[in-house]
Amino acid sequence: MCFEIMDEDFRFRYHHPLPNFYKVSNPANPKTQIDNSVLKDLEKLAAENNCAGISYSKLSDDFRKEWNIDFDNVIIFKYLMSPEILEMDQSKLKCKLIDDEFQEIGRKMYGFADFLRKNEFSAELLNPLDDKISLRAIAMQSNDAVITRSNMCLFKEGLNIGFFMIHTSIENLPFKQENDMCWVGEFCKTCGKCIRKCPENAFDENELVLRKVCTAHREGCSQCMLVCPFYKKGYIKIKQKYDKRVAKKRG
């Protein structure tokens, strides 16, 4: 089953509420426990609609208080941003193509929410352009991602990952208890390609990204991603290389 929303007026926009394209209403008394077979059907549905994978975040009480939110179970739908677009020279056209891809994937999220609602779970899409909450912070709560030196969210599926999120009533999702990607921070300290190759010199003296200088959102620059070993070689190969280096140092 593939989901398509044909309405030309459909768009996610900054400072606008989410468009309502749900076809199924939330249940009055939503279930909280999902059968493994239904979860597998959801994962299969995501794969059929070009998702690269799914992660699950269980938001802590402290996190919910910090961000002033009243939900705690989040499903993260990940998709691979097109390398053909990312590797284009920065331009207004590139920005438009990136946004078109983002909008197309976003349309499918309503189908995933409707699937959950049909199975008697509550499901609400989080606004991906809401400045009031950080979706990257929620991604970190999944223990399935890390933030790289270039301030990008890295999942094992790739560095060129975009994502959308649905919060739900389901309490028994397969949440990860520990993050096995924390080594990435140490690797980044030995690399620094994103800093050296940045065409805008958009890193400060502490090697933090200066958002006002970075042109990624304004002009579609993706140079720091393109030179990153995690983009060029993939997570698994870099992890193997890192493990060998650590083992050699230990003698």
Side-chain angles (χ1 to χ4, degrees):
M1 181 189 302
C2 292
F3 301 116
E4 296 292 343
I5 294 176
M6 303 306 294
D7 194 313
E8 295 181 358
D9 292 331
F10 174 97
R11 292 194 77 78
F12 296 101
R13 293 184 174 91
Y14 283 104
H15 312 304
H16 283 73
L18 276 173
N20 185 351
F21 280 95
Y22 302 107
K23 296 180 180 179
V24 180
S25 298
N26 265 321
N29 297 296
K31 292 181 178 179
T32 61
Q33 305 294 305
I34 190 170
D35 293 337
N36 189 57
S37 60
V38 179
L39 187 60
K40 291 297 182 184
D41 286 343
L42 175 63
E43 293 172 346
K44 180 181 178 182
L45 203 57
E48 289 174 350
N49 284 273
N50 300 321
C51 285
I54 297 179
S55 294
Y56 306 93
S57 286
K58 181 70 173 182
L59 307 185
S60 67
D61 290 341
D62 288 343
F63 184 93
R64 295 168 63 197
K65 183 178 180 181
E66 177 184 356
W67 291 96
N68 191 31
I69 54 180
D70 59 2
F71 55 86
D72 55 357
N73 309 306
V74 179
I75 305 176
I76 306 170
F77 296 89
K78 299 170 282 189
Y79 70 95
L80 283 174
M81 300 171 68
S82 171
E84 292 78 14
I85 298 175
L86 292 173
E87 292 169 14
M88 293 172 59
D89 292 337
Q90 64 184 56
S91 65
K92 297 299 183 183
L93 173 60
K94 181 179 179 180
C95 288
K96 180 182 184 303
L97 293 175
I98 290 173
D99 184 63
D100 287 346
E101 183 176 60
F102 165 80
Q103 300 288 345
E104 180 182 355
I105 299 295
R107 292 180 178 94
K108 299 178 185 293
M109 295 301 115
Y110 290 91
F112 300 143
D114 286 339
F115 171 86
L116 291 170
R117 292 178 176 193
K118 286 179 182 177
N119 282 278
E120 300 181 64
F121 304 106
S122 69
E124 292 284 348
L125 179 61
L126 292 178
N127 190 339
L129 301 180
D130 187 353
D131 294 333
K132 296 179 182 178
I133 185 169
S134 169
L135 266 62
R136 293 199 321 161
I138 293 177
M140 292 296 291
Q141 289 273 302
S142 71
N143 287 320
D144 216 12
V146 291
I147 303 300
T148 66
R149 204 174 199 177
S150 56
N151 206 32
M152 289 183 286
C153 197
L154 171 67
F155 290 90
K156 291 181 180 178
E157 291 90 346
L159 186 61
N160 55 321
I161 290 287
F163 49 84
F164 289 86
M165 299 183 180
I166 290 174
H167 71 80
T168 176
S169 59
I170 306 170
E171 297 177 352
N172 66 327
L173 294 168
F175 303 111
K176 287 182 65 176
Q177 300 303 312
E178 295 183 3
N179 193 327
D180 59 355
M181 298 177 65
C182 294
W183 65 274
V184 170
E186 291 301 317
F187 175 85
C188 284
K189 291 178 182 178
T190 69
C191 179
K193 286 185 178 180
C194 56
I195 298 173
R196 295 194 302 272
K197 299 290 187 179
C198 177
E200 306 296 334
N201 295 316
F203 291 83
D204 64 16
E205 64 276 7
N206 297 313
E207 300 182 343
L208 300 175
V209 176
L210 297 166
R211 295 195 176 190
K212 291 184 178 180
V213 179
C214 176
T215 59
H217 292 292
R218 298 192 305 275
E219 300 176 21
C221 180
S222 49
Q223 187 65 20
C224 58
M225 180 187 297
L226 300 180
V227 301
C228 179
F230 288 106
Y231 176 79
K232 299 177 74 173
K233 297 182 179 180
Y235 177 87
I236 293 176
K237 287 186 178 180
I238 299 302
K239 181 64 163 68
Q240 291 172 341
K241 182 179 179 180
Y242 177 83
D243 287 344
K244 288 180 181 178
R245 183 189 304 169
V246 171
K248 185 176 181 179
K249 284 184 177 180
R250 291 174 179 172

